[in-house]
Each structure stands twice: as C-alpha cells, then as structure tokens.
Amino acid sequence: MGIKIAFYISIPVTILAIFFLLIFPLIKKAKMRTNFLNVVGKKVTEIAEIKDYLLLNRVILPIDEIHNMHIDHILFGNKYIYLINDQYIEGSLPQAKENDKKWVQLQSLNKPEWIDNPILKNKRRVEKFTLLTRTEPDILVGIIVCNNDLSYNDFLITDSHQHFVKLNQVARLIDSFEMSKNVNNISNEDLKELVKQINKMNKYKPNDENKK
C-alpha cells in the first residue's frame, strides 16, 4: 500500500518537475520576446531616474509625407543623446559583421535565416535624426539592445558612436560615455528645447493603441 501511495505521489511531482525544467523556461522566453520593448523601456527608465536624465519612449518622427522613423527610446544624458532601439533575436548570430547588409541567424533547429543588420539601420536613424532636429552628430550615440541570452561572436564596430549590446550591458555603456572627460555637458536649456521639438514632431499617440 505504501509503495502505491508513493507511486501516485511521485506522478504529480514528476509532472511539476518537467514543467519547471522544460516548459516554464519556454513560457518565460516567449513572454520576454513579446514584452521586450517594455523590458528595455523599464531598464532605460531606471537609468533615467537614477541619473536624472530626460527620456522619451516610443518616438515616431516623420521623414517625409509617406515615411516615418521609429526610435524606441531617446535618452538625454549630460554629455550625449542616446538613440536606443530594441531587437529580440532568437538563437545565435555566428557571423555578424558591422557593415554586412544581412546577418545569419541560427535558431533552435540550426536552420539559417537572414535578418537585416540592425547597426546599419541605426546608423541611418542617427543620420536622419541629425537632419530632422539639426542636432550635432558628435553628441549622438546609436545603441541596439538585444536579449541577454543571444549568442553572437564578438565583432569590431569601427564607428565609436554605434553599439550593439545585451540588455545587462546598456547601463555600463552609457556610464562609459558620460564619464568622458574631454566632452562638455549639454546645457539643460538646449536639452529641454530639443525634447519639446521632438514631442511636437512625435506621431506616436498612446491612446491610439487603446482604440485598436
């Protein structure tokens, strides 16, 4: 009798163990993928609050009558302005290079797929942002933030104002820029004026999502 009871008890315990070892990580990963914009936004907001930086999230700027430019987060530091875009990438990037138009992405079945190089896209964002806002390019830093579990080879980025980093590295990267000794602070008045200018151009309306 005792053996039977132990057997029946072991079944739900085994099922729970399988759930937490196999299924729960998959659920957690899927949740991270679908909410990655908010996860990065929460991290950038934390940086802004700690450092007392200005921050704009979900910015859509008109390039012309047809095309728009999307920027997930614009963080206004003391010395630099950071154009931050999020990209959740499954699997690994075995051969990523700065100037390749496409990157090879390997997912769980090792089936190669091609994705647009996010660094090149971010370079174009910085260039367009400079033209739209007449901001000096020297104080702009483009950052692509990817998921922590992404595996990729270390590759050289020759443009010191373009970066591809994992979520857990973004705060350290921003600190390294803000600690630059030979760069003057941006005046608060200029920053506030730029924020006001961007807000006027921003086509993103939070209420629009609620209407869908």
Side-chain angles (χ1 to χ4, degrees), residues 38-55:
N38 294 328
V39 171
V40 178
K42 184 177 179 181
K43 182 63 179 179
V44 177
T45 299
E46 179 184 301
I47 295 170
E49 290 176 348
I50 292 173
K51 301 292 185 178
D52 197 24
Y53 295 159
L54 297 172
L55 172 65

Side-chain angles (χ1 to χ4, degrees), residues 99-118:
N99 294 313
D100 286 350
K101 290 184 178 180
K102 299 281 186 178
W103 286 355
V104 176
Q105 174 190 6
L106 293 180
Q107 299 196 41
S108 56
L109 298 177
N110 284 332
K111 182 181 178 181
E113 295 185 11
W114 296 91
I115 63 172
D116 291 332
N117 180 344

Side-chain angles (χ1 to χ4, degrees), residues 2-18:
I3 295 175
K4 286 186 177 181
I5 293 173
F7 173 75
Y8 288 123
I9 292 175
S10 68
I11 292 176
V13 171
T14 302
I15 293 173
L16 283 173
I18 293 173

Side-chain angles (χ1 to χ4, degrees), residues 55-169:
L55 172 65
L56 293 177
N57 290 307
R58 300 190 181 190
V59 177
I60 302 176
L61 300 178
I63 298 172
D64 52 41
E65 294 181 356
I66 301 174
H67 303 96
N68 298 311
M69 174 174 62
H70 294 247
I71 305 173
D72 293 329
H73 323 279
I74 305 178
L75 183 66
F76 302 83
N78 293 327
K79 297 184 177 182
Y80 291 94
I81 298 169
Y82 307 90
L83 307 186
I84 303 171
N85 275 72
D86 323 323
Q87 185 147 357
Y88 189 97
I89 303 174
E90 293 272 10
S92 63
L93 300 171
Q95 298 175 342
K97 293 182 181 179
E98 177 186 8
N99 294 313
D100 286 350
K101 290 184 178 180
K102 299 281 186 178
W103 286 355
V104 176
Q105 174 190 6
L106 293 180
Q107 299 196 41
S108 56
L109 298 177
N110 284 332
K111 182 181 178 181
E113 295 185 11
W114 296 91
I115 63 172
D116 291 332
N117 180 344
I119 296 175
L120 293 182
K121 291 173 70 174
N122 227 29
K123 283 184 179 181
R124 290 193 290 270
R125 283 191 192 98
V126 171
E127 291 169 358
K128 292 170 184 174
F129 185 87
T130 301
L131 294 174
L132 281 172
T133 63
R134 298 182 180 178
T135 306
E136 290 294 330
D138 291 345
I139 63 171
L140 296 176
V141 178
I143 303 175
I144 296 293
V145 179
C146 66
N147 39 304
N148 292 331
D149 60 350
L150 175 66
S151 173
Y152 63 91
N153 61 304
D154 290 331
F155 58 95
L156 177 66
I157 300 179
T158 55
D159 186 342
S160 62
H161 282 228
Q162 289 293 331
H163 293 269
F164 182 86
V165 297
K166 294 183 177 182
L167 177 60
N168 58 11
Q169 300 170 331

Side-chain angles (χ1 to χ4, degrees), residues 19-33:
F19 176 81
F20 280 104
L21 289 175
L22 299 178
I23 301 175
F24 182 72
L26 295 176
I27 294 174
K28 185 178 179 181
K29 191 171 185 178
K31 187 177 180 181
M32 172 67 78
R33 181 174 60 249

